[in-house]
Amino acid sequence: MKEVTGIKEIIKPENLAYRKSNILTDEIMHYCPGCGHSTTHRILAELIEEEGLQQDAIGVSPVGCSVFLYNYIDIDWQEAAHGRAPAVATAIKRLLPDKFVFTYQGDGDLAAIGTAETIHACNRGENILIIFINNGIYGMTGGQMAPTTLPGMKSSTSPFGRDVRSMGNPIKMTDLVATLPGTYYVTRQSVHTPANVKKTKKALRKAIQYQKLNKGTCFVEVVSNCPSGWKMTPTKANAWMEENMFPFYPLGDMKTPVEVSDQQSKTGKND
Amino acid sequence: MAKIKGSIVVNIDRCKGCEVCMVSCPTGTIAMAKEVNSRGYNYAYPAFPDLCIGCASCAIVCPDGVITVYKTKI
Ligand SMILES: Cc1ncc(C[n+]2csc(CCOP(=O)(O)OP(=O)(O)O)c2C)c(N)n1
Ligand code: SF4
Ligand code: SF4
Ligand code: SF4
Ligand SMILES: [Mg+2]
């Protein structure tokens, strides 16, 4: 490994404060510089290592930029047809109920071609985790408009900005699935700063732990960037995301198990 | 009073020069190299190693798992 280092005397095993998880393979990820897919993969690998799930995790990878995810995290994988990951994960979880089963999907995959699969898996309350990378665009195919593209946002198929009168309104999938009785934990996070990475890691750890309870679908959205599709440098893309994506897709928990029990006690009172 | 000192190791060929680590470092330790790596990216490096406090902000925000962090009290 070619490397460049800081002060040599400090570099000793007993001083180690951070290293990449070994579950993230040594293969260099194909993503563009600064892409949030890479950051989310890295966190996921760390969690699988820390939670001791390498033998028990089965991921379902999507179609989209993250189609090669199975090359980067060293666990069992199944590649699904575009948008069908929640249906495939449903089958895997029902056949192997003791495994930790999750999907990883972009917004084109989850909120366009796979809308039906997403909504029905969540509504059935399948005991899977859905990780949703929302960069407001079809990254892989050349930055076309997605259902999640913001009003006024430019893409290769909305070069003058999304006009909601002719192109429809963006859809907030996370808000939508939070209203379904089958979801147990629903949250929206981001991975563009150290503080947000910590929060997302915490949210994903919770989701992994809740998954063991078999109480329904966990859904974690990561509002992410697409520097190439947005035609910005990575740091500019992150600033643009804060300014434009977060007001429309605010970060935070949308449904937590406490709320679930609140809702149940409320319906109990009404009965 | 004991001082906390850190040191980072950058895996040059894994770096894509995105600069996210550089803008996230609270002490201004990191800069981008003028040289490029095998894939043509200007890689990150500890330009001011004495400033590093080993907080690992750079490593946990790095998309590509490029940075390893060491930390000690002196
Ligand atoms: C059935 C089918 N329809 C269309 C495509 C073309 N296609 C590939 S990826 C993609 C959209 C990807 O967007 P998203 O899910 O947001 O992923 P991103 O690349 O942005 O992470 C489309 C439309 C396909 N591969 N298969
Ligand atoms: S096209 Fe966009 S989503 Fe795809 S790897 Fe590049 S930056 Fe990431
Ligand atoms: S460990 Fe902290 S202080 Fe050192 S380079 Fe990384 S971000 Fe900067
Ligand atoms: S964040 Fe990682 S990939 Fe980006 S410049 Fe820094 S070390 Fe390189
Ligand atoms: Mg997308």
Side-chain angles (χ1 to χ4, degrees):
Chain A
M1 177 175 116
K2 274 210 295 192
E3 56 186 37
V4 50
T5 68
I7 300 169
K8 291 253 172 5
E9 296 69 54
I10 301 173
I11 301 171
K12 294 180 194 154
E14 63 268 31
N15 292 339
L16 184 68
Y18 179 92
R19 62 150 173 83
K20 137 182 137 43
S21 167
N22 291 327
I23 290 178
L24 192 72
T25 63
D26 285 335
E27 196 140 336
I28 293 175
M29 295 187 270
H30 69 283
Y31 302 109
C32 309
C35 177
H37 275 305
S38 327
T39 325
T40 313
H41 290 14
R42 216 202 64 227
I43 301 174
L44 196 53
E46 285 169 16
L47 281 166
I48 289 169
E49 180 179 5
E50 289 164 20
E51 298 292 313
L53 284 171
Q54 189 175 21
Q55 298 306 318
D56 287 319
I58 304 177
V60 183
S61 56
V63 171
C65 274
S66 47
V67 65
F68 295 132
L69 169 48
Y70 49 75
N71 287 331
Y72 305 134
I73 300 183
D74 189 12
I75 55 168
D76 285 336
W77 287 99
Q78 175 61 52
E79 169 64 37
H82 203 11
R84 313 304 178 223
V88 173
T90 297
I92 295 173
K93 182 67 181 187
R94 288 184 179 201
L95 288 165
L96 302 167
D98 296 333
K99 297 289 180 182
F100 163 56
V101 181
F102 67 94
T103 74
Y104 182 105
Q105 303 173 258
D107 46 320
D109 192 82
L110 178 143
I113 194 166
T115 317
E117 282 76 4
T118 308
I119 288 180
H120 288 294
C122 289
N123 198 42
R124 293 191 304 268
E126 298 297 339
N127 292 309
I128 57 172
L129 164 62
I130 294 178
I131 302 171
F132 169 35
I133 307 297
N134 179 10
N135 54 15
I137 208 163
Y138 292 177
M140 184 198 204
T141 44
Q144 292 87 352
M145 189 177 74
T148 45
T149 301
L150 299 175
M153 181 174 168
K154 287 185 181 147
S155 70
S156 61
T157 48
S158 60
F160 304 108
R162 181 181 193 151
D163 178 356
V164 296
R165 285 170 308 173
S166 60
M167 301 169 195
N169 289 289
I171 186 163
K172 299 184 184 185
M173 288 301 283
T174 306
D175 300 56
L176 208 152
V177 302
T179 66
L180 301 175
T183 50
Y184 189 64
Y185 175 55
V186 180
T187 188
R188 185 188 284 126
Q189 303 292 337
S190 79
V191 294
H192 67 305
T193 69
N196 288 97
V197 166
K198 281 184 194 161
K199 280 189 195 162
T200 301
K201 193 166 169 185
K202 216 169 163 184
L204 282 169
R205 194 188 302 278
K206 268 200 234 169
I208 289 171
Q209 282 160 359
Y210 291 151
Q211 222 44 78
K212 294 182 187 147
L213 307 174
N214 285 338
K215 290 201 167 169
T217 313
C218 292
F219 192 99
V220 178
E221 173 179 350
V222 177
V223 181
S224 192
N225 58 11
C226 177
S228 296
W230 297 357
K231 305 195 190 309
M232 295 174 201
T233 63
T235 49
K236 286 228 173 77
N238 287 344
W240 189 90
M241 179 172 72
E242 279 184 358
E243 216 171 290
N244 298 280
M245 296 279 277
F246 293 175
F248 195 83
Y249 298 113
L251 306 186
D253 287 346
M254 242 154 275
K255 187 186 213 173
T256 61
V258 184
E259 268 174 46
V260 172
S261 50
D262 279 349
Q263 273 173 11
Q264 275 158 359
S265 61
K266 264 184 218 145
T267 32
K269 265 180 220 150
N270 290 343
D271 280 347
Chain B
M1 212 180 78
K3 239 181 135 180
I4 295 183
K5 280 268 178 201
S7 185
I8 62 169
V9 178
V10 176
N11 180 343
I12 292 176
D13 284 327
R14 230 183 138 89
C15 176
K16 294 180 187 158
C18 71
E19 303 186 358
V20 174
C21 55
M22 186 174 82
V23 301
S24 301
C25 171
T27 63
T29 300
I30 299 176
M32 306 310 292
K34 287 205 178 65
E35 301 77 36
V36 295
N37 64 12
S38 59
R39 292 149 59 86
Y41 293 121
N42 297 95
Y43 53 91
Y45 77 107
F48 304 98
D50 291 340
L51 302 179
C52 180
I53 52 170
C55 67
S57 293
C58 54
I60 69 166
V61 84
C62 170
D64 286 277
V66 172
I67 302 176
T68 307
V69 183
Y70 296 86
K71 182 169 136 174
T72 188
K73 274 193 198 141
I74 299 185

